[in-house]
Amino acid sequence: MSELPMTVRVDGLPDRVTIYEVGPRDGLQNEKTVVPVEVKAEFVRRLVAAGLPVVEATSFVHPRWVPQLADAAELMTALGEEGRHLPVLVPNERGLDRALELGLEHVAIFGSATETFATKNLNRTFDEQFAMFEPTVARAREAGMDVRAYVSMCFGDPWEGAVPVDQVVTAGTRLLDLGAGQLSLGDTIGVATAGHVRALVAAFGDAGVGTDRLAMHFHDTYGQALANTFSALQAGITTFDASAGGLGGCPYAKSATGNLATEDLVWMLDGLGIEHGVDLGAVVATSTWMAGHLGRPSPSAVVRALAG
Ligand code: HMG
Ligand code: MG
């Protein structure tokens, strides 16, 4: 069995993409098993060693809201100097203070395109979430931090149904206007399809937000994440969020399952001859090792094919 696909280039796609690894954060926030902090530190180190250029390490959210990541400070302390440049989620100034105390350099805020999810995930209305983020981003920028913004429920919401493209563009541009450098468009419950992806990227373009400022964050609930990624590549997107082994989900969005698996993404990019800098074998080995700690096999098709 071949461990690499044959490479066949397709005209019009980018030559190189950035894979933004979210396994330690999006993956582990949704696991029933609470993973010991030293295992988390090892997970992060192995992902960095596998060549992943960005590894989102954890969240400085309220520990009651996400108990799986209650050890965020301990983890970042364990990682030490190596962890300072790794991004972490912060929803508010309290989270930012915790990140600043540890000397971290890169934070991500996370907003919602819908009223219902803003309430359920952040305990804020749609408008109130921006009031919470505004001083958070301003202070982070003053401290010289790099700020990413997520917008969730970009394609559909389990309570509100289909989400109008204009509503997503409004939420996303408001987050960028606060001072975020990059906007990651979250398909939180995995309902996006390829044409919808093209339409959303085009709508951001019409609003003056180019593909250089956008990232795509697909969950694979309906098995569409790779098709959606290909569609986004055709639209010129060059940053893709993915999770080693396909771990992931959101504890506050019913029906959110794992992210696009890093290994599945790497396999497709290798086939297309698109550079990414990641060692596929090392990520597969890491996901297999983590699956042992979690007590369940990886949902990634590529991990299952290569590790079997
Ligand atoms: P709240 O209860 O409204 O908080 O929660 P508050 O501002 O009213 O404060 C209440 C108490 O919590 C205060 O303590 C604060 O200090 C404390 P007291 O004065 O009563 O002793 N507190 C905190 N403690 C530690 N860290 C903090 C913090 N903030 C307040 N950061 C809050 C509001 C935003 C905090 C809460 O709703 C929360 O933590 N939500 C996080 C939910 C979450 O993490 N969801 C998953 C991540 S999002 C996601 O997965 C989607 C994504 O992957 C993209 C996609 O797929 O679409 C990114
Ligand atoms: Mg997510």
Side-chain angles (χ1 to χ4, degrees):
M1 183 192 64
S2 163
E3 296 225 341
L4 280 178
M6 189 171 110
T7 297
V8 182
R9 294 272 317 164
V10 172
D11 287 346
L13 301 186
D15 294 329
R16 187 174 178 88
V17 302
T18 300
I19 302 180
Y20 188 108
E21 170 64 45
V22 297
R25 193 280 303 171
D26 206 336
L28 298 185
Q29 77 181 8
N30 209 38
E31 285 296 327
K32 286 189 186 68
T33 317
V34 178
V35 177
V37 70
E38 59 276 13
V39 174
K40 289 178 178 168
E42 181 67 11
F43 188 36
V44 171
R45 285 194 201 100
R46 286 180 70 148
L47 293 169
V48 171
L52 284 152
V54 189
V55 179
E56 191 171 77
T58 187
S59 288
F60 287 88
V61 295
H62 197 297
R64 263 201 316 274
W65 283 63
V66 184
Q68 291 89 337
L69 303 184
D71 58 3
E74 256 177 286
L75 173 63
M76 298 318 286
T77 304
L79 290 170
E81 194 54 41
E82 208 186 341
R84 284 164 72 103
H85 69 282
L86 304 180
V88 296
L89 289 197
V90 299
N92 55 12
E93 289 187 271
R94 177 77 187 96
L96 176 68
D97 287 337
R98 293 172 61 204
L100 285 170
E101 276 163 30
L102 290 159
L104 307 187
E105 294 163 3
H106 187 154
V107 290
I109 56 166
F110 49 102
S112 170
T114 67
E115 186 78 49
T116 312
F117 189 62
T119 312
K120 294 201 182 280
N121 199 46
L122 296 164
N123 201 22
R124 297 293 182 278
T125 64
F126 181 81
D127 281 323
E128 283 168 358
Q129 65 178 335
F130 300 103
M132 179 167 79
F133 296 139
E134 200 264 312
T136 310
V137 177
R139 286 186 45 220
R141 293 290 304 276
E142 271 162 37
M145 283 174 150
D146 191 18
V147 181
R148 171 184 241 222
Y150 286 95
V151 57
S152 286
M153 302 301 175
C154 288
F155 298 90
D157 171 297
W159 300 277
E160 298 189 17
V163 181
V165 165
D166 289 354
Q167 190 175 318
V168 179
V169 173
T170 300
T173 49
R174 281 181 76 172
L175 292 168
L176 285 172
D177 289 347
L178 294 178
Q182 185 180 60
L183 185 69
S184 176
L185 303 178
D187 182 17
T188 320
I189 57 167
V191 291
T193 49
H196 196 165
V197 170
R198 289 296 286 268
L200 186 61
V201 174
F204 271 102
D206 292 345
V209 181
T211 49
D212 55 324
R213 298 196 71 192
L214 296 175
M216 302 306 301
H217 180 102
F218 294 122
H219 285 261
D220 204 23
T221 320
Y222 291 85
Q224 303 297 301
L226 272 184
N228 292 336
T229 300
F230 190 75
S231 178
L233 283 168
Q234 287 181 314
I237 299 286
T238 56
T239 301
F240 292 91
D241 300 0
S243 161
L247 302 173
C250 177
Y252 291 98
K254 64 176 169 25
S255 68
T257 61
N259 291 84
L260 166 64
T262 307
E263 294 88 343
D264 297 13
L265 173 61
V266 167
W267 183 270
M268 184 176 79
L269 295 174
D270 281 344
L272 291 165
I274 298 175
E275 283 179 46
H276 48 72
V278 177
D279 177 341
L280 178 59
V283 190
V284 170
T286 301
S287 295
T288 307
W289 165 83
M290 184 47 96
H293 282 285
L294 296 172
R296 64 182 181 92
S298 163
S300 157
V302 170
V303 172
R304 279 184 271 120
L306 293 181

